[in-house]
Amino acid sequence: MSAVFERTKRNKVLRKPARATAGKDEVYRIVDKALYCHVAFASRTASRSSSRQHLCRGSDPAAPRLVGQRMIRHGDCNPLCVTMTLIDGIVLARSAFNHSVNYRSAILFGNGEAVTNPEAKMDALERFTERLMPGRWDDIRWPDRKELKATGVIAMPIESASAKVRTGPPVDDEPDMQLPTWAGVLPLRQLFGAPVADPNAPVDVALPGYLEKYLEARLPS
C-alpha cells in the first residue's frame, strides 16, 4: 500500500498548501482521533451536509463506516466528502487579521455503500460503541431487530484524501511585532470530566470499572 494518497484535483489543497500533506499515516491519525465528522453530499434536490459518528477500522483503514440514515433515505448521494477537524489551540496575534487556530484536519473522498447485512451492521455498531467507550458494549442492551433496521451504516472506501495542519505561534506582519500586545497560543485539550449519573435512573447503579479510571484521574493523589 502506498504511504501517500495520489494527488488529484479533488484532494489538492489550494489555500496554504505548505500546511497540507497527502500522507496516509497523518490522515489516519486525524480520522482515528476525531469522534465526529461532517459528510457533504448532493441529494436529488439539494446539496446537504450531515454530522455523523464515524469509524476507521484498525486493520482496514481504507473503509471507514458512517452511522446515519439520511444519506440512505435520499438514495444515490455519491460521491461523498467527509471532513473532520481537531482544534489544538487559539492563536492570538497582535493584529485582528492574523488571529487563527492551530488545528489538524482531514478531508476524505469516496463513494459510500449501505451496509445491509445484519451481522455486519451489528459488528459496526459494536465497534462504534467500543470506540466511544471501551468496555461499554458488554454492559448495555444490544440493538434489537427494529433498532438495527432503523440505523443506517455506510461503508466508504477512501479513494482520495488529504490532511492540513497548522502549528506554532502567530505570524504577524513585521511592523506589528513591536506593538505592546500579548501574542501567543492558548492551547486547547479535550478532557473527560467527572461522570454524572442520569438523575432519572430508577435505581442506584455503581459506576462501572471502565469509567472509574476517569473519576480517579480527577481526584487528588
Side-chain angles (χ1 to χ4, degrees):
M1 179 185 294
S2 172
V4 179
F5 286 103
E6 180 183 358
R7 292 188 181 274
T8 65
K9 290 183 178 180
R10 190 160 59 165
N11 71 349
K12 182 179 180 180
V13 175
L14 300 178
R15 188 174 185 276
K16 305 284 187 179
R19 297 177 182 173
T21 176
K24 292 184 177 180
D25 287 345
E26 182 65 29
V27 170
Y28 295 150
R29 274 195 294 268
I30 295 169
V31 171
D32 287 337
K33 183 72 173 178
L35 292 177
Y36 228 60
C37 68
H38 289 85
V39 184
F41 60 96
S43 71
R44 294 187 179 92
T45 58
S47 297
R48 302 179 185 275
S49 179
S50 182
S51 57
R52 290 282 172 261
Q53 280 181 255
H54 69 275
L55 170 70
C56 198
R57 299 180 64 166
S59 61
D60 187 16
R65 268 61 174 171
L66 312 170
V67 170
Q69 283 281 39
R70 189 175 189 183
M71 290 175 286
I72 298 175
R73 288 202 309 268
H74 283 286
D76 182 10
C77 300
N78 287 317
L80 302 179
C81 175
V82 182
T83 61
M84 50 213 69
T85 302
L86 304 170
I87 303 298
D88 296 320
I90 299 174
V91 181
L92 303 174
R94 296 164 182 84
S95 67
F97 181 78
N98 286 317
H99 278 61
S100 187
V101 294
N102 283 341
Y103 63 88
R104 289 164 288 160
S105 65
I107 183 166
L108 320 175
F109 302 94
N111 290 317
E113 182 177 352
V115 177
T116 57
N117 179 276
E119 289 78 15
K121 286 180 69 174
M122 186 69 81
D123 176 70
L125 294 177
E126 178 181 355
R127 291 172 180 272
F128 278 116
T129 304
E130 286 295 294
R131 184 168 185 263
L132 285 176
M133 180 54 58
R136 189 66 177 167
W137 185 254
D138 290 333
D139 195 28
I140 58 175
R141 179 181 66 79
W142 297 350
D144 58 28
R145 186 176 300 178
K146 181 179 179 181
E147 291 169 334
L148 197 62
K149 183 178 180 180
T151 304
V153 177
I154 304 291
M156 190 199 81
I158 304 174
E159 298 174 3
S160 179
S162 63
K164 192 175 179 184
V165 178
R166 190 206 189 280
T167 61
V171 181
D172 273 308
D173 298 330
E174 188 62 32
D176 294 330
M177 295 296 290
Q178 304 306 316
L179 292 175
T181 303
W182 189 91
V185 177
L186 183 63
L188 290 176
R189 298 289 183 266
Q190 183 170 273
L191 300 173
F192 284 105
V196 179
D198 181 2
N200 298 313
V203 295
D204 291 333
V205 179
L207 193 71
Y210 54 83
L211 285 179
E212 286 181 353
K213 59 184 178 181
Y214 299 108
L215 179 60
E216 293 172 355
R218 296 178 58 85
L219 296 177
S221 58

